[in-house]
């Protein structure tokens, strides 16, 4: 697109000073003749661009001219440059566009700020993915994304626990939780969240819909997450934990420490811990071996003993 190319020429001249038609043509992958025509277009638009002849000549902008193409402060630009392409951008088909946008944004910076930006980007990388990546695939994501962008109704068929279900929904937004994609949609008067990997079919319909004027995707997701976490089952237990295992226990995703109490200056502490279920509590406790002992409830203690006995039998103990 010519407008993009004219903008790129302007940015190159702002940040690199004088450049020959050949240099610009190589950077923009066009002919030198095209560059000459573009210079005429810039001049006609009022941009003070001129040519100097000779071995050290080339195209340049009038001294002191500089357009404010971004309107962003240096710190604001650097914060944008910290973001990096990820599997999520790949899922959306936007990875190449991200790289192009990054190069354009960087070229709009003064040379000194460009150096700072590269310095930061080479020394700080933000990776939002966890170590245990989901193996889910999202072949219908592009179709669902189109419906969201166009505000068109979406027909879907998805797998529930007991059956395949068909729905016509109003797609309001997409949410990525680590490497898992969700669709937030309105069905009748309700708003629901669907795990996209469970869709077996999806089709964008011709009919559009009107988004709720007061709907905010981030706020909805935050409140939905809070309600989900509050609705999870609670299974409280009292554990005796070796002090060296306590830091690991504090980092468990499926266990929440409610209180900790020291025990007679020994190497053990007593911790009140909330799990989700009996089974999940048993599995986690077994993973700590002799570093954790269940004190209460009795059913959890009995479950751990039964599983430990089964392990001994399996290994001939």
């Amino acid at each position: 697109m010519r407008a993009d190319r004219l903008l790129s020429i302007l940015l190159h001249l702002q940040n690199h000073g004088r450049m020959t038609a050949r240099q610009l043509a190589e950077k923009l992958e066009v002919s030198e003749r095209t560059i000459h025509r573009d210079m005429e277009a810039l001049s006609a638009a009022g941009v003070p661009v001129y040519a100097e002849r000779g071995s050290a000549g080339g195209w340049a902008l009038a001294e002191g001219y500089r357009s404010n193409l971004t309107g962003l402060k240096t710190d604001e630009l650097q914060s944008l440059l910290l973001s990096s392409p990820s599997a999520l951008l790949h899922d959306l088909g936007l990875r190449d566009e991200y790289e192009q946008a990054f190069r354009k944004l960087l070229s709009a910076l003064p040379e000194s700020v460009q150096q700072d930006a590269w310095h930061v980007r080479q020394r700080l990388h933000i990776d939002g993915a966890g170590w245990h990546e989901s193996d889910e695939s999202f072949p219908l994501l592009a179709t669902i994304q189109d419906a969201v962008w166009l505000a068109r109704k979406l027909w879907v068929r998805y797998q529930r626990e007991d059956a395949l279900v068909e729905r016509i929904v109003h797609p309001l937004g997409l949410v990525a939780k680590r490497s898992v994609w969700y669709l937030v949609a309105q069905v009748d008067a309700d708003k629901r969240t669907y795990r996209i990997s469970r869709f077996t079919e999806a089709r964008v319909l011709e009919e559009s819909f009107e988004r709720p004027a007061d709907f905010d995707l981030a706020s909805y997701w935050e409140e939905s997450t809070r309600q989900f976490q509050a609705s999870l089952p609670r299974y409280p237990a009292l554990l005796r934990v070796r002090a060296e295992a306590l830091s690991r226990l504090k980092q468990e995703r499926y266990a929440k420490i409610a209180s900790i109490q020291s025990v007679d200056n020994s190497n053990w502490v007593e911790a009140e811990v909330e799990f989700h279920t009996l089974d999940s509590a048993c599995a986690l406790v077994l993973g700590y071996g002799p570093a954790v002992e269940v004190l209460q409830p009795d059913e959890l203690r009995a479950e751990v003993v039964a599983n430990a006995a089964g392990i001994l039998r399996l290994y001939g103990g």
Side-chain angles (χ1 to χ4, degrees), residues 11-162:
L11 292 174
H12 280 303
L13 294 179
Q14 281 189 174
N15 293 299
H16 302 292
R18 187 178 294 106
M19 295 182 70
T20 66
R22 175 177 294 182
Q23 290 172 328
L24 288 167
E26 290 176 352
K27 283 185 174 294
L28 301 177
E29 299 180 348
V30 296
S31 68
E32 291 184 45
R33 180 177 297 179
T34 297
I35 294 297
H36 287 294
R37 287 199 299 266
D38 288 345
M39 291 305 182
E40 292 176 1
L42 285 172
S43 181
V47 177
V49 61
Y50 66 95
E52 290 186 352
R53 301 186 182 280
S55 58
W59 289 97
L61 293 168
E63 186 175 355
Y65 174 81
R66 186 170 189 88
S67 65
N68 183 10
L69 294 171
T70 62
L72 296 175
K73 299 177 182 177
T74 298
D75 290 345
E76 294 171 336
L77 285 164
Q78 288 186 348
S79 71
L80 293 175
L81 297 175
L82 288 177
S83 62
S84 60
S86 65
L88 303 181
L89 285 173
H90 177 75
D91 290 342
L92 292 172
L94 296 175
R95 189 183 183 99
D96 291 341
E97 286 75 7
Y98 168 87
E99 289 295 345
Q100 292 173 15
F102 171 75
R103 287 193 294 268
K104 289 180 181 178
L105 184 59
L106 188 62
S107 66
L109 294 168
E111 190 168 347
S112 61
V113 182
Q114 287 187 41
Q115 295 174 356
D116 290 342
W118 277 114
H119 182 90
V120 171
R121 205 174 191 231
Q122 293 300 316
R123 288 161 175 77
L124 177 60
H125 174 71
I126 298 174
D127 183 359
W131 289 110
H132 304 289
E133 287 298 294
S134 167
D135 59 357
E136 296 180 27
S137 61
F138 310 97
L140 299 174
L141 180 59
T143 299
I144 297 169
Q145 180 187 351
D146 286 344
V148 172
W149 277 191
L150 298 171
R152 300 256 288 275
K153 293 182 180 181
L154 182 71
W155 174 89
V156 295
R157 178 179 286 141
Y158 66 98
Q159 182 67 55
R160 288 203 315 202
E161 293 182 1
D162 53 348

Side-chain angles (χ1 to χ4, degrees), residues 182-199:
Y182 296 88
L183 170 67
V184 176
Q186 185 168 332
V187 183
D188 298 325
D190 297 329
K191 296 179 181 66
R192 301 180 184 177
T193 302
Y194 298 91
R195 194 164 180 143
I196 291 180
S197 61
R198 293 181 181 172
F199 289 136

